Each structure stands twice: as structure tokens, then as C-alpha cells.
Amino acid sequence: MNLRKELAERLEAGLAQVGAKGVPAIVGPATRLEFGDYQANGALAAAKRLGLKPRDLAQRAIDAADLDGIVDRCEVTGPGFISLTVADELLAEASTTTTRPQIGRVVVVDYSHPNLAKEMQVHHLRSTIIGDAVARVLEALGCEVIRQNHVGDWGTGFGRLVAHLNDIGAAAHSGGSSALADLERFYAEASARFETDPAFADRARQVVVDLQAGDPPTLARWRQYIDLSLSHCHAVYDALGVSLKPEHVRGESAYNDDLDGIVADLDAKGLLAESDGARCVFLDEFKGKDGKVVPVIVRKSDGGYLYHSTDLAALRYRADKLRAKRVLYIVDARQSLHFRQLFALAEAAGYGTGVSFEHHPFGAMLGADGRPFKTRRGGGTRLLDLLQEATARARKLVRKKNPELDSAAMDAVARAVGIGAVKYADLSKNRTSDYVFDWQAMLALEGNTAPYLQYAYARIQSLFAKGGVDPSSLSGKPTLREPEEHALALQLARFQETLEQVAATVMPHHLCAYLYDLASAFMRFYESCPVLGSDARDDRLLLCQRTAETLSKGLGLLGIDTVDRM
Ligand code: ARG
């Protein structure tokens, strides 16, 4: 149940009955749920209109509202807030079983999307992590999520790479793929040759022409490069525990055949104009500083296409072929203008009418020095290096904390903790701002970190082990007695509404904040309410079990594993 929504709707119905229709009830986060922010939500104006004191309006609304079975106590406080105490019965019942209100709704999530010319870099991390968490949450709510990895696999940059591969392949017939084992080096070599060797540069340009003409052997070489580069990506996804699979890849090249048709269609709709030989769309809403409209180029004067053109084809494909109702682009904030133009272009062309296209931007990942983040190894930005460093650091932490773990267990825990820390540090911040990547902070066992939550989970498991309790055998509803038990149960009951909030805002930090509050509520409960030796043992074990389940489910939706011992 979405507790927040349920309470708000019932109060709003009460308000409507007493003449204050349309005044929203804002349900706050505390045990005493308040009908908040009196002035801003128009309650004050409504009271005035009705000739009532705000407190009296609040009282009438409570009297009129049907709060049976959901609220135990209800009173007017302060200038006219409504303070609710959620019914014990309801809290006891609320468990981790989530409802799936968005069954069947098709949502496309466009995330990760590295450029395949190089190996995945640190700056691909945020889109990959955020997009994956969002996709999982939407699925938990019943959406049919279609992941789309819109990789950069086309464009002039591939000319030199394929030309280099051609040369190496000719020099040593089986040497081609091992030369590609280190993609970074291969890329650097190809770039250097392009700069210094004019004959090579000519061959590289010819490759671009051949690629565009669909020359089969050239395409086969290009495929070879792309497949290899993709296998590197999937190694990263595996290391990272990200749910992207080869079948989710639909790169820029997949739209090549649609581009001529798109241009013809835009032309038929009267949207195209010529500017310096290029085919452009002029949209009134995009004016430069001089007040002149800045054109969106869809085809260059040499016939080549741009990022925009491909994205427009992809947008149409997602609306028409994938039947998406919502398309989420999890892309760097620096591309905001691109997406505003893209969506405006789509609207003008009549593509995806009624579909919600949403760019959800995120800021940069900075090092402690405030500059773009670099890894320890050679100060590079290779993503795989960063992940290896995360696991190595976590292993040290785990060894200190629990030296008895055997080596295999230690590896598993180090991986869960290290990768979890990297993901959580990113997900727990409001994604729209830049964030500072700080190993020490993300691996801390105190505070809003993955290790803290994983530790809370492990602590509950060791409690079960100590008491010889099989958590799956626990069932029923707990009786709540102490305030700490109430607080914990209330927090447990708010899981569903948190997921819905993440789905609506595409902001995973709400789920992190929720889990942190849950772990904190659990710690307070645990400190003041003995479990194993108490008369209320069964009730408290149930609360422990639901907490553990919610922690692991919530972390799982963020793509983070839990471990029984750490
Ligand atoms: N490959 C692009 C880049 O690295 C990101 C693609 C984002 N998705 C899209 N549909 N434009 O900049």
C-alpha cells in the first residue's frame, strides 16, 4: 500500500466534503503524519473563503474524512495542522510485499551507452549505475522495462580504428584480436598513426567512405572491432553487477537505414530548410544570444548524419516499434540542449505523440581536488581499474573487521561491499549536482553508506544465527508496544510509496534515504528492545525479519548485494 497516497486521499476527500475541494494534504515523514505547509497549499485561503479559522477547517475535515482502519488517533495541532497516528493494525500488516500498480506500462530506459571506440571510462559510471537502479525499481512496480544501450558505434572516428585493424590483420593473420586485448593501447596507436602518417590517414578516410557505402569486408572489420569493444563493456557490467545484456544493445548504427526516410519525412512535413548546404530544422524556441534561431542540422552538406538525426530515428523506433509510454534518457547534464532540441523536433514532426520523453540529467564525478575523477592506477579513467580498486579497498576493510572469514568468503564480501559502496555513493546523492568521489567516505561503516546498510543486514542475520531462528519460518503480525517498535513499523510501511516516488521522479536517492532511515530506526529499536531473551521475542523477531527483507530488497533494487556475514 502507498501509505502516503492513501492518507492524503482520505483527508482530501474530507476537505472536499466541507467545502475545501482541491486543497492538497501533504503527508510528512514522521510518525505523526501532518497535513503540512498550511499556507502554501491553499488551506488558509480556503478557510478564509469559508469564514472559518484554519483550526476549525482542519477539525471539520477530520470529522468528515473516513479514516477508519488506517488511523488510530487524529488531532488538530498548531495553527491548523492535522496530526495523524497510523493504526497499529495497519503497521503490523504492512510488510515488504510490494504492489505493482504500473503493470504492463512500457518504459524504455536509455542508459550506459558508452562510445565503443574506447574502453569504458569513469564518466560512464553514473549513467550505468543510475539507469540500472531506475530500471529495477520500475520493474518492481510492474512496468515492462525495455533497456536500451544506445552505444556510440558509428561515425568518422571508426575510420582510423578499422584502418589500423586492417593493417594489423594483414601483418599477422591471427594477431588481430590479441592486438585488441588492450583497447586503450590500440586506440592510442591508431590515433598516433592518424596524426603522423599521411598515407594511413588517407586509408582511414577511405574506410569511412567504404563503411558508409556498406562495403562488406570493411563492415566485417568494423563488426569485429565493435564486438570486441562490446565484450569489454559486458565484462564491466558483470563486474559491476549491472543488468545490461547483449540483447539490450541497440547502437547508433542500428538506425542507419532509417535516416534517409526521416529526412524525407521532415521535408514532406515542410520542416526542412537549407543552410550552407546542410539540411536543417529551424525551431523558434531555440534562439541564440543574437535573437536568431539556431538551426538543428539533420544532414550535413556532405550527406553525413549527426547525433540528432540518429536520436530522432531512435525516438521514433521506441514510440512506434517498442510501444513505449515513457522514455527515460539517463544522460549527462551537458547534453540538456541536445535533448530539448530532440524533443522539440519530435513534436514538430509528430513522432511519439502522447509519449513522455524525459531527459534525466546528472552532474560530473569529481575527485577530491574538484577536478574530473582519476583512478589510482596511472591516474587514468578506465572504469575497470576503478572497480578493481574498489574491491581491493573493501577487502582491506573486511579483513580488519572480520579476520576469521576464509579467503573465498572474504572475496565475496569484498566484492559486495566494494561495488556496493561505489554504487551507493553515487545513488545516494541528488543526481543533478556534481559529486565528489571519495573512497574514505563511501567505505565508512557509519553514516549513509552501503557498508552501513549491509552491516545492519548482516547484524540481523547473526541475530537469527545466534537464536537458532530460521527467518523464513516467521509469520503473522507483530504486536507493537514500544515507541521504537512503532517507529520501525511505520518506516517499514513506507517502502511502497518510496518506490513510487523513485519511479515518478527518477531519483534513486529517495530510496537510499529511505533505507538509511530504516537502518537507523532499526538500530534505535535494537538498542532499546531486547529481542532473543524477551517475552516479546516472536513479535520482535518478526520486525527484525521484515527489516532484513526490506533492506535486501531495497539494496537489490539499487543493484547492491547483501551478505550474511561481514
Ligand atoms: N553515446 C553518447 C555519449 O557517450 C550517449 C548516448 C545517450 N543516449 C542517446 N539516446 N543520445 O555521449
Side-chain angles (χ1 to χ4, degrees):
M1 173 199 271
N2 185 329
L3 192 58
R4 183 190 293 262
K5 211 161 105 198
E6 188 71 31
L7 286 171
E9 278 172 11
R10 294 199 189 199
L11 261 184
E12 281 161 6
L15 281 160
Q17 275 185 48
V18 299
K21 194 163 188 283
V23 173
I26 300 162
V27 179
T31 317
R32 285 151 52 95
L33 301 171
E34 293 193 334
F35 160 57
D37 205 353
Y38 219 67
Q39 229 154 359
N41 67 26
L44 205 59
K48 209 178 217 164
R49 184 161 42 75
L50 294 164
L52 291 172
K53 289 203 187 89
R55 284 186 64 99
D56 294 337
L57 171 61
Q59 189 58 53
R60 287 190 189 193
I62 300 179
D63 294 342
D66 171 17
L67 297 168
D68 266 7
I70 161 160
V71 162
D72 271 352
R73 269 194 317 281
C74 195
E75 54 186 347
V76 176
T77 61
F81 294 119
I82 298 170
S83 176
L84 307 167
T85 306
V86 178
D88 266 14
E89 186 64 12
L90 187 89
L91 290 185
E93 216 176 85
S95 71
T96 52
T97 42
T98 38
T99 51
R100 296 159 55 81
Q102 306 203 15
I103 298 258
R105 191 169 193 225
V106 179
V107 183
V108 165
V109 187
D110 177 332
Y111 69 105
S112 190
H113 40 236
N115 289 329
L116 296 184
K118 294 178 81 171
E119 242 177 270
M120 275 183 88
Q121 305 290 309
V122 164
H123 68 261
H124 295 117
L125 192 60
R126 297 207 75 185
S127 173
T128 306
I129 291 177
I130 297 168
D132 207 50
V134 167
R136 290 173 196 251
V137 169
L138 289 166
E139 264 164 357
L141 292 174
C143 294
E144 187 191 320
V145 172
I146 304 182
R147 292 164 173 78
Q148 290 283 278
N149 195 355
H150 191 84
V151 294
D153 61 357
W154 200 248
T156 51
F158 287 93
R160 63 197 72 172
L161 297 168
V162 171
H164 189 41
L165 194 55
N166 275 335
D167 291 356
I168 285 182
H173 38 230
S174 66
S177 57
S178 65
L180 284 173
D182 189 339
L183 215 59
E184 286 291 273
R185 218 174 70 205
F186 186 90
Y187 180 89
E189 280 168 13
S191 305
R193 287 186 74 193
F194 189 77
E195 298 304 329
T196 56
D197 177 350
F200 176 78
D202 282 342
R203 288 206 297 284
R205 279 186 279 270
Q206 185 56 42
V207 166
V208 175
V209 174
D210 293 344
L211 271 178
Q212 255 147 20
D215 171 54
T218 313
L219 277 178
R221 274 273 193 259
W222 164 81
R223 249 291 111 200
Q224 191 190 351
Y225 190 88
I226 293 299
D227 286 345
L228 223 115
S229 183
L230 271 175
S231 73
H232 285 267
C233 294
H234 286 285
V236 170
Y237 297 149
D238 286 345
L240 202 50
V242 156
S243 61
L244 281 169
K245 297 282 172 293
E247 64 267 26
H248 303 129
V249 172
R250 193 171 165 90
E252 296 182 6
S253 66
Y255 301 100
N256 283 349
D257 293 344
D258 299 347
L259 300 176
D260 287 339
I262 292 253
V263 172
D265 187 50
L266 295 179
D267 208 8
K269 288 175 173 149
L271 290 165
L272 286 190
E274 198 95 0
S275 172
D276 294 332
R279 310 282 280 156
C280 307
V281 182
F282 288 81
L283 296 164
D284 280 343
E285 58 250 66
F286 299 104
K287 291 210 174 84
K289 286 200 191 79
D290 55 2
K292 281 212 200 101
V293 174
V294 181
V296 181
I297 303 176
V298 289
R299 185 160 62 191
K300 294 188 290 184
S301 54
D302 65 3
Y305 291 99
L306 294 162
Y307 189 47
H308 268 117
S309 344
T310 314
D311 244 337
L312 192 59
L315 178 149
R316 194 177 64 166
Y317 171 81
R318 290 162 185 185
D320 294 354
K321 294 278 170 15
L322 300 182
R323 305 232 147 266
K325 287 283 160 279
R326 210 179 161 197
V327 183
L328 311 178
Y329 295 85
I330 315 296
V331 188
D332 195 326
R334 284 172 307 181
Q335 295 195 24
S336 292
L337 176 64
H338 164 73
F339 284 106
R340 279 193 291 123
Q341 289 178 325
L342 175 67
F343 301 158
L345 206 59
E347 195 179 336
Y351 297 161
T353 310
V355 178
S356 175
F357 297 105
E358 307 165 24
H359 174 214
H360 293 286
F362 53 84
M365 191 168 130
L366 306 175
D369 56 1
R371 315 261 297 262
F373 180 82
K374 294 216 178 340
T375 55
R376 193 166 52 179
R377 208 194 88 168
T381 55
R382 219 169 70 125
L383 193 44
L384 211 51
D385 293 338
L386 178 133
L387 301 182
Q388 278 158 4
E389 186 172 345
T391 309
R393 284 179 184 258
R395 202 170 201 281
K396 266 198 208 138
L397 180 84
V398 176
R399 199 183 306 126
K400 212 161 44 189
K401 183 134 190 81
N402 194 346
E404 293 106 72
L405 285 179
D406 63 57
S407 170
M410 188 96 74
D411 284 344
V413 177
R415 183 174 179 272
V417 171
I419 300 295
V422 168
K423 286 185 169 177
Y424 194 86
D426 189 326
L427 294 168
S428 58
K429 314 283 185 318
N430 182 325
R431 63 170 159 71
T432 53
S433 34
D434 290 350
Y435 96 99
V436 175
F437 189 93
D438 178 346
W439 288 114
Q440 225 116 48
M442 73 178 69
L443 284 165
L445 282 164
E446 290 297 326
N448 189 11
T449 65
Y452 173 73
L453 298 177
Q454 289 167 319
Y455 184 59
Y457 175 85
R459 209 153 144 184
I460 299 174
Q461 300 310 313
S462 68
L463 177 82
F464 290 148
K466 195 165 139 207
V469 179
D470 169 11
S472 64
S473 70
L474 299 168
S475 64
K477 291 190 226 171
T479 304
L480 307 170
R481 299 174 187 85
E482 304 301 324
E484 290 82 6
E485 294 173 324
H486 275 101
L488 178 57
L490 179 68
Q491 185 63 13
L492 284 168
R494 307 195 81 172
F495 187 51
Q496 175 82 24
E497 70 189 43
T498 306
L499 298 187
E500 290 181 27
Q501 189 185 16
V502 173
T505 58
V506 190
M507 292 277 196
H509 74 273
H510 293 305
L511 179 53
C512 298
Y514 168 85
L515 293 172
Y516 179 58
D517 289 345
L518 176 63
S520 308
F522 177 78
M523 293 303 182
R524 280 192 292 275
F525 153 81
Y526 195 61
E527 271 155 31
S528 54
C529 305
V531 178
L532 292 177
S534 113
D535 289 345
R537 175 187 155 112
D538 289 352
D539 292 318
R540 292 180 179 167
L541 279 173
L542 269 171
L543 285 172
C544 291
Q545 182 237 22
R546 289 182 186 178
T547 303
E549 215 175 285
T550 308
L551 282 172
S552 90
K553 206 163 177 176
L555 285 170
L557 294 178
L558 298 171
I560 298 173
D561 292 333
T562 44
V563 285
D564 287 351
R565 292 193 304 159
M566 68 179 269

PDB file of all heavy atoms in Angstrom, residues 463-485:
ATOM      1  N   LEU A 463      21.961 -12.258  14.406  1.00  0.00           N
ATOM      2  CA  LEU A 463      20.991 -12.413  15.492  1.00  0.00           C
ATOM      3  C   LEU A 463      20.176 -13.696  15.294  1.00  0.00           C
ATOM      4  O   LEU A 463      19.984 -14.485  16.224  1.00  0.00           O
ATOM      5  CB  LEU A 463      20.059 -11.200  15.508  1.00  0.00           C
ATOM      6  CG  LEU A 463      18.939 -11.213  16.542  1.00  0.00           C
ATOM      7  CD1 LEU A 463      19.470 -10.753  17.886  1.00  0.00           C
ATOM      8  CD2 LEU A 463      17.787 -10.331  16.102  1.00  0.00           C
ATOM      9  N   PHE A 464      19.739 -13.921  14.075  1.00  0.00           N
ATOM     10  CA  PHE A 464      18.992 -15.156  13.772  1.00  0.00           C
ATOM     11  C   PHE A 464      19.872 -16.378  14.053  1.00  0.00           C
ATOM     12  O   PHE A 464      19.419 -17.363  14.631  1.00  0.00           O
ATOM     13  CB  PHE A 464      18.548 -15.176  12.303  1.00  0.00           C
ATOM     14  CG  PHE A 464      17.468 -14.175  11.973  1.00  0.00           C
ATOM     15  CD1 PHE A 464      17.413 -13.580  10.709  1.00  0.00           C
ATOM     16  CD2 PHE A 464      16.508 -13.828  12.908  1.00  0.00           C
ATOM     17  CE1 PHE A 464      16.416 -12.661  10.396  1.00  0.00           C
ATOM     18  CE2 PHE A 464      15.510 -12.907  12.599  1.00  0.00           C
ATOM     19  CZ  PHE A 464      15.474 -12.320  11.349  1.00  0.00           C
ATOM     20  N   ALA A 465      21.123 -16.279  13.615  1.00  0.00           N
ATOM     21  CA  ALA A 465      22.025 -17.419  13.802  1.00  0.00           C
ATOM     22  C   ALA A 465      22.208 -17.708  15.294  1.00  0.00           C
ATOM     23  O   ALA A 465      22.149 -18.855  15.734  1.00  0.00           O
ATOM     24  CB  ALA A 465      23.365 -17.134  13.129  1.00  0.00           C
ATOM     25  N   LYS A 466      22.381 -16.657  16.054  1.00  0.00           N
ATOM     26  CA  LYS A 466      22.606 -16.811  17.498  1.00  0.00           C
ATOM     27  C   LYS A 466      21.393 -17.447  18.175  1.00  0.00           C
ATOM     28  O   LYS A 466      21.533 -18.279  19.069  1.00  0.00           O
ATOM     29  CB  LYS A 466      22.875 -15.426  18.088  1.00  0.00           C
ATOM     30  CG  LYS A 466      23.479 -15.456  19.465  1.00  0.00           C
ATOM     31  CD  LYS A 466      24.040 -14.089  19.829  1.00  0.00           C
ATOM     32  CE  LYS A 466      23.696 -13.773  21.285  1.00  0.00           C
ATOM     33  NZ  LYS A 466      23.610 -12.339  21.528  1.00  0.00           N
ATOM     34  N   GLY A 467      20.200 -17.033  17.740  1.00  0.00           N
ATOM     35  CA  GLY A 467      18.985 -17.550  18.357  1.00  0.00           C
ATOM     36  C   GLY A 467      18.508 -18.853  17.732  1.00  0.00           C
ATOM     37  O   GLY A 467      17.467 -19.386  18.118  1.00  0.00           O
ATOM     38  N   GLY A 468      19.243 -19.366  16.761  1.00  0.00           N
ATOM     39  CA  GLY A 468      18.817 -20.580  16.071  1.00  0.00           C
ATOM     40  C   GLY A 468      17.482 -20.387  15.371  1.00  0.00           C
ATOM     41  O   GLY A 468      16.649 -21.298  15.324  1.00  0.00           O
ATOM     42  N   VAL A 469      17.259 -19.195  14.835  1.00  0.00           N
ATOM     43  CA  VAL A 469      15.973 -18.873  14.211  1.00  0.00           C
ATOM     44  C   VAL A 469      16.070 -19.022  12.702  1.00  0.00           C
ATOM     45  O   VAL A 469      17.018 -18.527  12.094  1.00  0.00           O
ATOM     46  CB  VAL A 469      15.582 -17.412  14.527  1.00  0.00           C
ATOM     47  CG1 VAL A 469      14.266 -17.044  13.864  1.00  0.00           C
ATOM     48  CG2 VAL A 469      15.513 -17.187  16.025  1.00  0.00           C
ATOM     49  N   ASP A 470      15.091 -19.701  12.131  1.00  0.00           N
ATOM     50  CA  ASP A 470      15.009 -19.726  10.677  1.00  0.00           C
ATOM     51  C   ASP A 470      14.049 -18.611  10.260  1.00  0.00           C
ATOM     52  O   ASP A 470      12.846 -18.730  10.473  1.00  0.00           O
ATOM     53  CB  ASP A 470      14.492 -21.098  10.217  1.00  0.00           C
ATOM     54  CG  ASP A 470      14.135 -21.099   8.741  1.00  0.00           C
ATOM     55  OD1 ASP A 470      14.472 -20.112   8.033  1.00  0.00           O
ATOM     56  OD2 ASP A 470      13.504 -22.074   8.296  1.00  0.00           O
ATOM     57  N   PRO A 471      14.579 -17.529   9.680  1.00  0.00           N
ATOM     58  CA  PRO A 471      13.707 -16.357   9.424  1.00  0.00           C
ATOM     59  C   PRO A 471      12.529 -16.680   8.502  1.00  0.00           C
ATOM     60  O   PRO A 471      11.484 -16.047   8.606  1.00  0.00           O
ATOM     61  CB  PRO A 471      14.656 -15.330   8.798  1.00  0.00           C
ATOM     62  CG  PRO A 471      15.893 -16.052   8.443  1.00  0.00           C
ATOM     63  CD  PRO A 471      15.970 -17.272   9.287  1.00  0.00           C
ATOM     64  N   SER A 472      12.687 -17.687   7.635  1.00  0.00           N
ATOM     65  CA  SER A 472      11.582 -17.953   6.715  1.00  0.00           C
ATOM     66  C   SER A 472      10.409 -18.623   7.442  1.00  0.00           C
ATOM     67  O   SER A 472       9.312 -18.721   6.909  1.00  0.00           O
ATOM     68  CB  SER A 472      12.061 -18.816   5.547  1.00  0.00           C
ATOM     69  OG  SER A 472      12.461 -20.082   6.033  1.00  0.00           O
ATOM     70  N   SER A 473      10.672 -19.094   8.683  1.00  0.00           N
ATOM     71  CA  SER A 473       9.573 -19.735   9.423  1.00  0.00           C
ATOM     72  C   SER A 473       8.734 -18.708  10.177  1.00  0.00           C
ATOM     73  O   SER A 473       7.705 -19.042  10.758  1.00  0.00           O
ATOM     74  CB  SER A 473      10.148 -20.744  10.414  1.00  0.00           C
ATOM     75  OG  SER A 473      10.813 -20.044  11.451  1.00  0.00           O
ATOM     76  N   LEU A 474       9.188 -17.454  10.199  1.00  0.00           N
ATOM     77  CA  LEU A 474       8.448 -16.440  10.953  1.00  0.00           C
ATOM     78  C   LEU A 474       7.275 -15.941  10.131  1.00  0.00           C
ATOM     79  O   LEU A 474       7.418 -15.620   8.957  1.00  0.00           O
ATOM     80  CB  LEU A 474       9.360 -15.252  11.281  1.00  0.00           C
ATOM     81  CG  LEU A 474      10.591 -15.565  12.139  1.00  0.00           C
ATOM     82  CD1 LEU A 474      11.542 -14.374  12.132  1.00  0.00           C
ATOM     83  CD2 LEU A 474      10.167 -15.903  13.552  1.00  0.00           C
ATOM     84  N   SER A 475       6.113 -15.884  10.755  1.00  0.00           N
ATOM     85  CA  SER A 475       4.971 -15.328  10.023  1.00  0.00           C
ATOM     86  C   SER A 475       3.991 -14.703  11.007  1.00  0.00           C
ATOM     87  O   SER A 475       4.154 -14.793  12.218  1.00  0.00           O
ATOM     88  CB  SER A 475       4.294 -16.418   9.198  1.00  0.00           C
ATOM     89  OG  SER A 475       3.756 -17.379  10.075  1.00  0.00           O
ATOM     90  N   GLY A 476       2.989 -14.074  10.470  1.00  0.00           N
ATOM     91  CA  GLY A 476       1.991 -13.421  11.316  1.00  0.00           C
ATOM     92  C   GLY A 476       2.258 -11.935  11.427  1.00  0.00           C
ATOM     93  O   GLY A 476       3.090 -11.387  10.717  1.00  0.00           O
ATOM     94  N   LYS A 477       1.484 -11.310  12.322  1.00  0.00           N
ATOM     95  CA  LYS A 477       1.616  -9.862  12.504  1.00  0.00           C
ATOM     96  C   LYS A 477       2.188  -9.582  13.875  1.00  0.00           C
ATOM     97  O   LYS A 477       1.736 -10.149  14.859  1.00  0.00           O
ATOM     98  CB  LYS A 477       0.226  -9.223  12.452  1.00  0.00           C
ATOM     99  CG  LYS A 477      -0.438  -9.235  11.111  1.00  0.00           C
ATOM    100  CD  LYS A 477      -1.669  -8.357  11.203  1.00  0.00           C
ATOM    101  CE  LYS A 477      -2.870  -9.046  10.577  1.00  0.00           C
ATOM    102  NZ  LYS A 477      -4.105  -8.317  10.847  1.00  0.00           N
ATOM    103  N   PRO A 478       3.158  -8.685  13.941  1.00  0.00           N
ATOM    104  CA  PRO A 478       3.701  -8.385  15.265  1.00  0.00           C
ATOM    105  C   PRO A 478       2.774  -7.466  16.066  1.00  0.00           C
ATOM    106  O   PRO A 478       2.115  -6.605  15.488  1.00  0.00           O
ATOM    107  CB  PRO A 478       5.010  -7.656  14.934  1.00  0.00           C
ATOM    108  CG  PRO A 478       4.780  -7.046  13.597  1.00  0.00           C
ATOM    109  CD  PRO A 478       3.809  -7.937  12.870  1.00  0.00           C
ATOM    110  N   THR A 479       2.722  -7.680  17.363  1.00  0.00           N
ATOM    111  CA  THR A 479       2.054  -6.704  18.231  1.00  0.00           C
ATOM    112  C   THR A 479       3.084  -5.635  18.578  1.00  0.00           C
ATOM    113  O   THR A 479       4.219  -5.961  18.919  1.00  0.00           O
ATOM    114  CB  THR A 479       1.570  -7.397  19.517  1.00  0.00           C
ATOM    115  OG1 THR A 479       0.730  -8.473  19.118  1.00  0.00           O
ATOM    116  CG2 THR A 479       0.809  -6.443  20.410  1.00  0.00           C
ATOM    117  N   LEU A 480       2.679  -4.383  18.461  1.00  0.00           N
ATOM    118  CA  LEU A 480       3.626  -3.288  18.689  1.00  0.00           C
ATOM    119  C   LEU A 480       3.375  -2.690  20.056  1.00  0.00           C
ATOM    120  O   LEU A 480       2.233  -2.383  20.402  1.00  0.00           O
ATOM    121  CB  LEU A 480       3.458  -2.213  17.608  1.00  0.00           C
ATOM    122  CG  LEU A 480       3.535  -2.705  16.154  1.00  0.00           C
ATOM    123  CD1 LEU A 480       3.119  -1.601  15.193  1.00  0.00           C
ATOM    124  CD2 LEU A 480       4.941  -3.186  15.831  1.00  0.00           C
ATOM    125  N   ARG A 481       4.432  -2.517  20.829  1.00  0.00           N
ATOM    126  CA  ARG A 481       4.259  -1.970  22.182  1.00  0.00           C
ATOM    127  C   ARG A 481       5.080  -0.697  22.388  1.00  0.00           C
ATOM    128  O   ARG A 481       4.558   0.337  22.738  1.00  0.00           O
ATOM    129  CB  ARG A 481       4.674  -3.006  23.219  1.00  0.00           C
ATOM    130  CG  ARG A 481       3.853  -4.275  23.157  1.00  0.00           C
ATOM    131  CD  ARG A 481       4.387  -5.342  24.115  1.00  0.00           C
ATOM    132  NE  ARG A 481       3.688  -6.609  23.906  1.00  0.00           N
ATOM    133  CZ  ARG A 481       4.018  -7.512  22.987  1.00  0.00           C
ATOM    134  NH1 ARG A 481       5.055  -7.306  22.196  1.00  0.00           N
ATOM    135  NH2 ARG A 481       3.329  -8.626  22.851  1.00  0.00           N
ATOM    136  N   GLU A 482       6.358  -0.785  22.147  1.00  0.00           N
ATOM    137  CA  GLU A 482       7.256   0.343  22.442  1.00  0.00           C
ATOM    138  C   GLU A 482       7.255   1.355  21.295  1.00  0.00           C
ATOM    139  O   GLU A 482       7.020   0.985  20.141  1.00  0.00           O
ATOM    140  CB  GLU A 482       8.688  -0.169  22.636  1.00  0.00           C
ATOM    141  CG  GLU A 482       8.848  -1.224  23.697  1.00  0.00           C
ATOM    142  CD  GLU A 482       8.388  -0.736  25.065  1.00  0.00           C
ATOM    143  OE1 GLU A 482       8.603   0.482  25.353  1.00  0.00           O
ATOM    144  OE2 GLU A 482       7.807  -1.533  25.822  1.00  0.00           O
ATOM    145  N   PRO A 483       7.543   2.619  21.636  1.00  0.00           N
ATOM    146  CA  PRO A 483       7.599   3.639  20.578  1.00  0.00           C
ATOM    147  C   PRO A 483       8.615   3.295  19.474  1.00  0.00           C
ATOM    148  O   PRO A 483       8.377   3.573  18.305  1.00  0.00           O
ATOM    149  CB  PRO A 483       8.007   4.922  21.303  1.00  0.00           C
ATOM    150  CG  PRO A 483       8.244   4.574  22.716  1.00  0.00           C
ATOM    151  CD  PRO A 483       7.730   3.201  22.983  1.00  0.00           C
ATOM    152  N   GLU A 484       9.713   2.657  19.842  1.00  0.00           N
ATOM    153  CA  GLU A 484      10.724   2.301  18.836  1.00  0.00           C
ATOM    154  C   GLU A 484      10.183   1.244  17.866  1.00  0.00           C
ATOM    155  O   GLU A 484      10.589   1.178  16.710  1.00  0.00           O
ATOM    156  CB  GLU A 484      12.006   1.788  19.496  1.00  0.00           C
ATOM    157  CG  GLU A 484      12.808   2.838  20.241  1.00  0.00           C
ATOM    158  CD  GLU A 484      12.278   3.105  21.645  1.00  0.00           C
ATOM    159  OE1 GLU A 484      11.340   2.387  22.076  1.00  0.00           O
ATOM    160  OE2 GLU A 484      12.776   4.033  22.304  1.00  0.00           O
ATOM    161  N   GLU A 485       9.298   0.406  18.403  1.00  0.00           N
ATOM    162  CA  GLU A 485       8.677  -0.599  17.536  1.00  0.00           C
ATOM    163  C   GLU A 485       7.707   0.068  16.549  1.00  0.00           C
ATOM    164  O   GLU A 485       7.662  -0.282  15.375  1.00  0.00           O
ATOM    165  CB  GLU A 485       7.931  -1.646  18.369  1.00  0.00           C
ATOM    166  CG  GLU A 485       8.845  -2.491  19.227  1.00  0.00           C
ATOM    167  CD  GLU A 485       8.065  -3.399  20.181  1.00  0.00           C
ATOM    168  OE1 GLU A 485       7.011  -2.974  20.691  1.00  0.00           O
ATOM    169  OE2 GLU A 485       8.509  -4.525  20.407  1.00  0.00           O
TER     170      GLU A 485
END
